[in-house]
Amino acid sequence: MEMRADLVIVGAGMVGSALALALRHSGLEILLLDGSALSVKPFDAQAPFEPRVSALSAASQRILERLGAWEGIARRRVSAYSDMHVWDGSGTGQIHFSAASVHAQVLGHIVENRVVQDGLLERLHDSDVGLLPNARLEQLRRSGDEWLLTLADGRRLRAPLVIAADGANSAVRRLAGCETREWDYLHHAIVTSVRCSQAHRTTAWQRFTDEGPLAFLPLNRDGQQDWCSIVWSTTPEQAEQAMAMDDAAFCQALERAFEGRLGQVLAADPRLCVPLRQRHAKRYVQEGLALIGDAAHTIHPLAGQGVNLGFLDAAVLAEELVRACERGERLADVKVLSRFERRRMPHNLALMAAMESFERLFQANPLPLRWLRNSGLKLVEQMPEAKALFVRQALGLSGDLPALARA
Ligand SMILES: Cc1cc2nc3c(=O)[nH]c(=O)nc-3n(C[C@H](O)[C@H](O)[C@H](O)COP(=O)(O)OP(=O)(O)OC[C@H]3O[C@@H](n4cnc5c(N)ncnc54)[C@H](O)[C@@H]3O)c2cc1C
């Protein structure tokens, strides 16, 4: 059997699902396929936190609200944070950001990826978007003006336009021969949730250690403030050692690495270790094809920006496709798709470059660089306007915003 659609989105993760929802009223026949079951799990408020979480910006929240998904997300479990505290573990420099400095109530929300995904899927199941669960893409080739997609179970699909939202190891990107620039951060990230003896005070904490950044992100369960999600970026050797420790030893090592800022680390959930790699596609588009989200770019989690960039990609691409539909243009035309690339690539590249420099500066050990970063942090701490600018950037409410993210 061969299926046909105007548009096939490969990957129904957070970003692919957001794109499908953003196009649900476009009149286009859309197929959204994913290798997983695409089922929405019943939510248990007492269940442990999922290890994978994202710090969602205000712009992402707006997009999710307009897609009708935020209500289902907030009904499950979200943790607002109002402050951010960053410090240099091998110096005295520190900096504090607060939502109040720009008259906002929150800087963002920490949300489990599963919760975001379920909020989006819930809306998709109520929409006209064609969902193909358990559909793993295996082959992709040009056939005239269309793409022919073959799934692992032999099913075949045809479409003039394919969107790759299939994550960091995108099969579409590989099969379509899209080139990337990539390099290893020589960092692994350990992620889990931990319980601390002191309240997190709705603050996101980040300590730069000699081995890499360590973040404690506030989690909220029934108003209690003792759980944090941690992202501990460190050398592969140290990550291997930390993964091999029993819970008590791991909690002690973590508490030491975090200088005990939230008191004792009392308990830890099962840990996950993720190798970190920066990747950026040289082009996001070609005739009949566009890459979005992690398929187009993966970035160090120290910025907490990966999926925020992905949601903006999805919103901008949807906006350009709808506009092209209204003008009667051919959507698969590389000229149409390039408008999306022109709006998103400079923004993504600028953020990736900023994060890269930040990461290098904090990894650097020579004395002049350590002096520079400590003095830099202290200087910026004294500059309320510079800090407010940074906070507005973090909220994601500046620059060329798609209508879905605008106030
Ligand atoms: C440790 C860590 C912490 C992070 N913290 C943050 C944060 O605080 N804030 C933030 O914004 N970002 C954060 N990120 C980044 C964020 O997790 C990613 O940017 C985001 O998950 C990417 O979403 P995506 O939908 O593009 O890809 P994915 O979530 O990878 O989804 C891809 C989908 O494609 C499907 N798929 C893959 N291959 C195929 C195939 N061949 N056929 C069919 N389907 C396929 C998969 O099943 C999956 O559903 C973090 C990342 C890491 C590693």
Side-chain angles (χ1 to χ4, degrees), residues 191-258:
V191 289
T192 185
S193 315
V194 299
R195 191 157 64 83
C196 298
S197 64
Q198 290 176 17
H200 50 59
R201 306 193 290 282
T202 66
T203 299
W205 307 80
Q206 183 135 265
R207 175 183 189 240
F208 283 89
T209 75
D210 287 343
E211 289 77 31
L214 167 60
F216 272 53
L217 307 171
L219 294 173
N220 164 24
R221 181 150 50 198
D222 301 329
Q224 289 185 336
Q225 296 195 0
D226 49 353
W227 280 91
C228 287
S229 167
I230 65 128
V231 184
W232 189 358
S233 309
T234 186
T235 58
E237 300 73 39
Q238 206 180 57
E240 197 182 327
Q241 283 168 17
M243 289 301 285
M245 289 174 185
D246 63 23
D247 279 0
F250 176 75
C251 288
Q252 273 180 18
L254 186 61
E255 191 182 307
R256 262 195 314 276
F258 195 57

Side-chain angles (χ1 to χ4, degrees), residues 10-17 33-36 38 52-57 60 110 113 117 135-138 151 165-172 174 189-191 217 230-231 274-276 292-295 297-310:
V10 182
M14 295 186 277
V15 174
S17 298
L33 60 91
D34 200 283
S36 69
L38 297 185
R52 294 288 306 263
V53 305
S54 297
L56 298 182
S57 66
S60 293
I110 310 296
N113 289 3
Q117 182 73 60
R136 175 150 290 275
L137 176 80
E138 216 162 68
L151 307 181
D166 50 347
N169 298 311
S170 169
V172 176
R174 177 174 43 84
I190 300 175
V191 289
L217 307 171
I230 65 128
V231 184
V274 194
L276 300 179
I292 59 172
D294 272 25
H297 43 74
T298 49
I299 175 173
H300 198 292
L302 91 88
Q305 285 299 328
V307 79
N308 292 307
L309 298 184

Side-chain angles (χ1 to χ4, degrees), residues 34-224:
D34 200 283
S36 69
L38 297 185
S39 50
V40 179
K41 297 198 181 72
F43 182 71
D44 172 5
Q46 295 314 313
F49 292 97
E50 292 281 333
R52 294 288 306 263
V53 305
S54 297
L56 298 182
S57 66
S60 293
Q61 181 183 347
R62 268 189 203 152
I63 292 172
L64 291 165
E65 277 168 359
R66 298 215 164 108
L67 299 181
W70 185 256
E71 195 225 315
I73 293 171
R75 185 174 8 100
R76 289 175 170 85
R77 191 156 61 190
V78 298
S79 312
Y81 66 102
S82 55
D83 294 77
M84 192 190 294
H85 195 79
V86 179
W87 74 102
D88 184 351
S90 52
T92 52
Q94 55 180 315
I95 193 159
H96 181 92
F97 300 102
S98 77
S101 69
V102 294
H103 310 291
Q105 283 188 329
V106 299
L107 286 179
H109 291 85
I110 310 296
V111 192
E112 292 148 87
N113 289 3
R114 182 71 244 170
V115 165
V116 180
Q117 182 73 60
D118 281 354
L120 289 161
L121 279 178
E122 206 166 57
R123 303 303 304 170
L124 279 168
H125 282 291
D126 288 342
S127 76
D128 289 337
V129 171
L131 294 181
L132 278 187
N134 306 313
R136 175 150 290 275
L137 176 80
E138 216 162 68
Q139 288 173 39
L140 176 77
R141 67 176 174 80
R142 274 318 255 177
S143 160
D145 284 346
E146 296 190 315
W147 292 99
L148 180 62
L149 299 93
T150 309
L151 307 181
D153 59 10
R155 280 178 292 173
R156 296 186 347 154
L157 288 76
R158 269 181 194 280
L161 180 57
V162 170
I163 310 297
D166 50 347
N169 298 311
S170 169
V172 176
R173 192 183 62 217
R174 177 174 43 84
L175 294 168
C178 306
E179 286 184 63
T180 54
R181 282 195 195 90
E182 44 191 283
W183 61 94
D184 224 314
Y185 280 119
L186 300 175
H187 265 171
H188 285 193
I190 300 175
V191 289
T192 185
S193 315
V194 299
R195 191 157 64 83
C196 298
S197 64
Q198 290 176 17
H200 50 59
R201 306 193 290 282
T202 66
T203 299
W205 307 80
Q206 183 135 265
R207 175 183 189 240
F208 283 89
T209 75
D210 287 343
E211 289 77 31
L214 167 60
F216 272 53
L217 307 171
L219 294 173
N220 164 24
R221 181 150 50 198
D222 301 329
Q224 289 185 336

